Amino acid sequence: MSNELEAFIEYITVIKALSAKSIEAYRSDLVSIEYHMKVPIIKLDNNSLLTYLSRYENKRTLNRKLSAINAFFDFCYKEEFLDLKQKFQFAKIPKNLPKYLSYETIEHGLSLIDTRTWIGKRDYALILFLYASGMRISECLDMRLENIEGEWLHILHAKGEKERIVPIAKVALDAMNSYLNARPFSNDVIWCNYQKKKLSRISAFKITQKYLAVSPHVLRHSYATSLIRGGADLRVVQELLGHASLLTTQIYTHIQRQDLKDTVEACHPMANT
């Protein structure tokens, strides 16, 4: 390891106080470059570095390497190890549109559940509740009876330590109450396993995977998609989802654009000429 790289590792360890995992990631990425190139990174020109980086076809992996290199060069410039500041542009990664399910697909999945048992009633209610609320799975599993006020849900300890209140459809509340009435024990935690303990994220994943072949988070996307397609304002959806920034919610605008395109293609006389 070069002297400059050792100084950088000491800097992010002592001064920046990064986590052990982050420090190891920086160390691994940068040491591997010096190992393969047989030259200190600070002495490599841009072409040599780009040639080395071209081996990484996965753009996310490439960007992680570039992030480490840029942080190292920024440190070297500030410490006057370099006369000129160097910075590499990150590779562009296409945005993956969120996967979502139609209401009909969710209904079909619900129809497969045997609700004659309390476990079946729980699975049915959980899926319905996730779709009716747009909650993150961690938020849902932390639910307690005291968080429900009429047809409103008070979500506590959400991402970023924020709080929000969302309305819940009566059909979801009825399903939840049916499950709670059938449950052979009492517990302030709503979603429990057969051992009377809070349902785990893995168990929740298995439930949605079993009946819908998706993760619980897809139901959150499905909730947002249904609202947007129904004409909901983007800022209202932002509030309901608990997004800190509207930019996060704007990923759903592809739905609006696609709906507009489909409408034009179906209705405008010049659409198919």
Side-chain angles (χ1 to χ4, degrees):
M1 186 188 303
S2 64
N3 292 334
E4 294 84 4
L5 185 49
E6 283 187 1
F8 173 71
I9 298 301
E10 182 178 352
Y11 168 74
I12 62 175
T13 303
V14 179
I15 305 301
K16 298 291 287 186
L18 298 185
S19 67
K21 187 175 181 179
S22 295
I23 293 168
E24 182 53 36
Y26 276 114
R27 185 199 305 273
S28 175
D29 286 339
L30 296 172
V31 167
S32 67
I33 295 174
E34 291 195 340
Y35 175 80
H36 285 98
M37 301 301 289
K38 311 298 183 186
V39 177
I41 298 177
I42 199 169
K43 293 185 178 180
L44 291 171
D45 57 44
N46 287 0
N47 288 335
S48 298
L49 273 173
L50 290 173
T51 299
Y52 169 81
L53 293 169
S54 65
R55 70 182 66 191
Y56 297 103
E57 295 182 2
N58 185 300
K59 291 185 178 180
R60 287 184 171 81
T61 301
L62 173 60
N63 282 346
R64 194 192 75 220
K65 305 284 184 183
L66 288 170
S67 178
I69 292 170
N70 284 338
F72 172 72
F73 281 149
D74 183 65
F75 165 78
C76 289
Y77 177 72
K78 289 177 179 177
E79 294 297 316
E80 299 183 352
F81 297 153
L82 288 172
D83 295 328
L84 297 175
K85 190 173 183 178
Q86 299 183 59
K87 186 173 183 178
F88 290 91
Q89 293 295 319
F90 290 116
K92 289 186 177 181
I93 299 176
K95 292 183 178 179
N96 294 323
L97 300 179
K99 181 179 180 179
Y100 62 90
L101 302 178
S102 67
Y103 181 48
E104 292 73 22
T105 300
I106 295 172
E107 278 189 315
H108 175 70
L110 290 171
S111 71
L112 302 177
I113 303 175
D114 181 2
T115 55
R116 292 174 295 181
T117 66
W118 76 268
I119 289 289
K121 289 180 182 293
R122 180 204 63 190
D123 295 353
Y124 184 95
L126 177 65
I127 290 174
L128 206 54
F129 215 92
L130 286 168
Y131 177 62
S133 66
M135 300 173 74
R136 299 176 179 92
I137 187 59
S138 58
E139 296 170 343
C140 188
L141 297 180
D142 284 339
M143 276 178 57
R144 294 179 178 271
L145 291 172
E146 63 193 41
N147 300 141
I148 299 176
E149 303 169 8
E151 294 186 357
W152 293 86
L153 175 63
H154 194 195
I155 301 176
L156 302 171
H157 308 300
K159 191 175 180 181
E161 297 302 318
K162 295 181 180 179
E163 300 179 2
R164 68 186 188 279
I165 298 177
V166 299
I168 299 296
K170 185 175 182 299
V171 64
L173 288 172
D174 289 345
M176 183 194 72
N177 287 325
S178 177
Y179 145 63
L180 291 175
N181 290 332
R183 194 171 65 178
F185 56 84
S186 60
N187 194 324
D188 191 36
V189 175
I190 294 178
W191 310 109
C192 296
N193 60 24
Y194 66 94
Q195 295 178 320
K196 305 181 183 180
K197 296 179 181 179
K198 187 179 82 169
L199 199 67
S200 67
R201 290 175 66 104
I202 293 176
S203 294
F205 177 84
K206 288 180 178 178
I207 292 168
T208 58
Q209 188 69 31
K210 179 179 180 180
Y211 297 108
L212 298 172
V214 297
S215 70
H217 202 68
V218 171
L219 287 168
R220 177 170 161 86
H221 290 317
S222 304
Y223 168 82
T225 300
S226 296
L227 289 174
I228 294 293
R229 281 197 154 154
D233 182 86
L234 205 59
R235 290 194 178 276
V236 173
V237 178
Q238 175 195 2
E239 181 70 21
L240 291 170
L241 292 176
H243 286 162
S245 170
L246 187 62
L247 292 175
T248 307
T249 318
Q250 282 179 340
I251 191 171
Y252 296 105
T253 56
H254 77 282
I255 299 162
Q256 293 174 316
R257 290 195 296 268
Q258 185 60 48
D259 285 350
L260 290 172
K261 184 174 183 291
D262 291 344
T263 300
V264 170
E265 289 181 348
C267 304
H268 198 279
M270 295 178 64
N272 297 309
T273 57

